[in-house]
Amino acid sequence: MKRRSIVTLSSSAIRCKKSDFMVVSVRQISNGGKRSKKKIYHRDYQLDKVMDLQKKPSLILQLKSIIQSQNHQRLLLRDLEKEVGFVAKWNFMSIIEKYPSIFRVGGGCGKEFPFVTLTGKAEKVAREEGEARNLMEPILVKNLRKLLMLSIDCRVPLEKVEFIGNELGLPHDFKKSLIFKYPEYFSIKVINGRAYLNLENWDSSLAVTAREEIFARERMLQSAGGQNKVRITKDGNYLGPFAFKMCYAAGFRPNKSYLEELEKWHKMEFPSPYLNARRFEVADPKTRKRVVAVLHELLSLTMEKRMISAKLDAFHSEYRLPSKLVLCLIKHHGIFYITNKGARSTVFLKEAYDGSILVDKCPILMFNDKFVALSGRHVTL
């Protein structure tokens, strides 16, 4: 008898200030009826906070880009609604009023219409973006190659690459500035009427995951410290070639039996995410662990080590992601975190954050931080 699972994440439970967890309802539906099974999903307040912290910085950076795209780098206030819509216009008007250190309003006298432009200090910092973009280019080329190498046929529909372009940090003209600039790495091919970004050359040196790189560094540190005994810790972490970093929420306390099962899972070998998924049986536990590694690597390739759930879900066929993707993410809540804060749910790679701070930032994120800091307040993206 076939069953299918439906997972419901309660956004109201996530937003509850007094609750340290939310209830995840899993309904097993079969021909004989339905049976509800509820699981506790512990909240991570610090990662929820990330979504709140990035709201105003995002508006500041978006308005900067709009102004820079205008003739003479000034935006007529009457045209703001055309750029962002009627509702969002008022949020941007508030930003303009609140941060005179970044945005300057002029005109309004005589025949000159009111406009907004960057202040002299903001323009000076904004000029550093070009250098940050230059530093980003080799990183983006490498990450795009790895993204294609992870896929089954070493190609991904071009529209899907564009779909996650912001998460990857791709410039708007990436086809011209990256794809066509590096024909030895990329090409665009039309297959059955659909444009695909295609990998031209396989590079085995790139077929190393972020997880494997971290393990190599930690093993070197352990050897230097003379620590040879390896065992699972109370927080669920284990130093081994097939282990994952665990970052459980403060309210979660794994018991002895849980840790024993987790240690077995840590020790279990699994195929590399860079091997073709067609070679493995879906039901094999090693294949299921490999899927966790694929999700881990995909999030590692993004700038902020997070992705909107719907965007991650769009890559089922290219990376053979599980049909019950949300269940997989919930099961491995020491590695991933799903938050409903913001307009859409977002999946975080937990180890990439220290509280609400992203640990490693790429050049463009460091530039963004510097520009937003002109607002006079410490803002973390």
Side-chain angles (χ1 to χ4, degrees):
M1 181 166 53
K2 293 184 178 180
R3 294 178 177 176
R4 58 189 179 92
S5 296
I6 299 177
V7 180
T8 305
L9 295 182
S10 173
S11 59
S12 60
I14 290 180
R15 285 171 168 72
C16 178
K17 292 183 179 179
K18 295 182 180 180
S19 176
D20 288 330
F21 58 86
M22 68 175 176
V23 176
V24 179
S25 178
V26 181
R27 291 185 291 158
Q28 296 286 353
I29 301 178
S30 65
N31 293 334
K34 61 183 181 181
R35 178 165 53 93
S36 293
K37 184 179 180 181
K38 293 183 178 181
K39 296 183 178 181
I40 299 299
Y41 189 66
H42 291 267
R43 295 181 58 185
D44 190 317
Y45 285 99
Q46 293 299 318
L47 293 182
D48 285 342
K49 186 180 177 182
V50 172
M51 305 307 295
D52 291 327
L53 288 174
Q54 58 93 40
K55 290 178 182 178
K56 287 184 179 179
S58 294
L59 290 174
I60 291 172
L61 293 169
Q62 187 178 348
L63 184 55
K64 174 189 74 72
S65 297
I66 293 172
I67 291 172
Q68 289 178 318
S69 69
Q70 306 298 309
N71 291 331
H72 309 297
Q73 296 200 354
R74 59 170 60 180
L75 172 67
L76 295 177
L77 292 178
R78 69 178 186 181
D79 294 334
L80 182 58
E81 185 176 328
K82 297 178 184 178
E83 296 287 343
V84 300
F86 177 75
V87 176
K89 174 184 72 174
W90 303 108
N91 292 329
F92 285 96
M93 291 296 289
S94 175
I95 289 292
I96 293 170
E97 182 180 1
K98 192 170 184 179
Y99 301 114
S101 58
I102 301 178
F103 304 108
R104 181 178 68 85
V105 177
C109 298
K111 295 183 179 180
E112 189 175 20
F113 292 105
F115 63 85
V116 60
T117 186
L118 297 178
T119 63
K121 192 173 183 180
E123 284 182 346
K124 183 179 179 181
V125 175
R127 285 194 286 270
E128 298 177 19
E129 185 174 6
E131 182 181 354
R133 291 288 177 189
N134 290 335
L135 293 173
M136 280 294 294
E137 186 170 306
I139 298 172
L140 294 175
V141 171
K142 176 184 175 182
N143 287 351
L144 266 181
R145 294 171 71 191
K146 289 170 74 73
L147 186 78
L148 296 174
M149 289 169 63
L150 281 171
S151 64
I152 294 176
D153 297 310
C154 292
R155 65 171 185 251
V156 173
L158 188 60
E159 62 192 33
K160 293 191 178 184
V161 177
E162 294 172 339
F163 190 42
I164 62 169
N166 288 337
E167 281 80 0
L168 296 174
L170 298 177
H172 295 298
D173 65 341
F174 78 94
K175 281 185 282 189
K176 178 182 177 181
S177 60
L178 291 179
I179 305 307
F180 297 144
K181 187 176 179 179
Y182 295 95
E184 67 272 29
Y185 299 142
F186 312 110
S187 65
I188 295 177
K189 296 182 180 179
V190 178
I191 302 174
N192 296 325
R194 194 178 193 185
Y196 284 82
L197 180 60
N198 190 72
L199 181 72
E200 284 299 303
N201 291 294
W202 180 274
D203 187 344
S204 297
S205 67
L206 296 181
V208 180
T209 65
R211 185 197 63 81
E212 290 171 320
E213 291 175 351
I214 292 170
F215 168 71
R217 290 197 298 268
E218 290 182 345
R219 185 172 58 178
M220 288 178 64
L221 290 173
Q222 187 188 54
S223 299
Q227 300 175 4
N228 296 318
K229 190 174 182 180
V230 178
R231 59 181 299 178
I232 194 165
T233 57
K234 291 182 179 180
D235 61 2
N237 282 296
Y238 175 85
L239 184 61
F242 301 101
F244 286 80
K245 174 70 175 177
M246 294 292 164
C247 305
Y248 290 111
F252 181 72
R253 297 288 186 271
N255 57 31
K256 184 179 178 181
S257 61
Y258 184 96
L259 291 174
E260 288 174 351
E261 289 300 315
L262 183 59
E263 184 172 359
K264 291 178 183 177
W265 187 81
H266 276 313
K267 292 179 177 179
M268 182 172 61
E269 298 181 9
F270 63 93
S272 169
Y274 287 99
L275 293 177
N276 196 311
R278 290 195 182 98
R279 298 168 55 180
F280 314 114
E281 293 293 331
V282 177
D284 190 330
K286 294 181 179 180
T287 303
R288 290 200 293 268
K289 188 175 180 182
R290 178 189 175 276
V291 167
V292 175
V294 171
L295 291 168
H296 185 287
E297 187 71 353
L298 281 174
L299 292 174
S300 296
L301 294 177
T302 64
M303 284 200 305
E304 298 175 294
K305 316 308 177 194
R306 67 177 191 249
M307 190 182 294
I308 294 171
S309 303
K311 293 188 176 184
L312 189 61
D313 197 49
F315 289 89
H316 270 285
S317 57
E318 287 76 21
Y319 301 108
R320 290 289 175 94
L321 301 181
S323 57
K324 302 171 186 177
L325 179 58
V326 176
L327 272 179
C328 177
L329 295 169
I330 290 173
K331 180 178 180 180
H332 299 285
H333 59 102
I335 305 171
F336 311 110
Y337 180 66
I338 309 173
T339 179
N340 277 2
K341 284 281 188 178
R344 292 164 289 186
S345 65
T346 301
V347 181
F348 282 83
L349 181 61
K350 298 180 77 171
E351 70 185 64
Y353 285 80
D354 181 7
S356 58
I357 307 297
L358 182 64
V359 177
D360 294 318
K361 295 188 177 183
C362 62
I364 199 64
L365 289 183
M366 289 190 285
F367 162 77
N368 289 346
D369 281 354
K370 185 174 182 179
F371 187 85
V372 170
L374 293 172
S375 63
R377 49 182 282 183
H378 178 71
V379 184
T380 302
L381 289 175

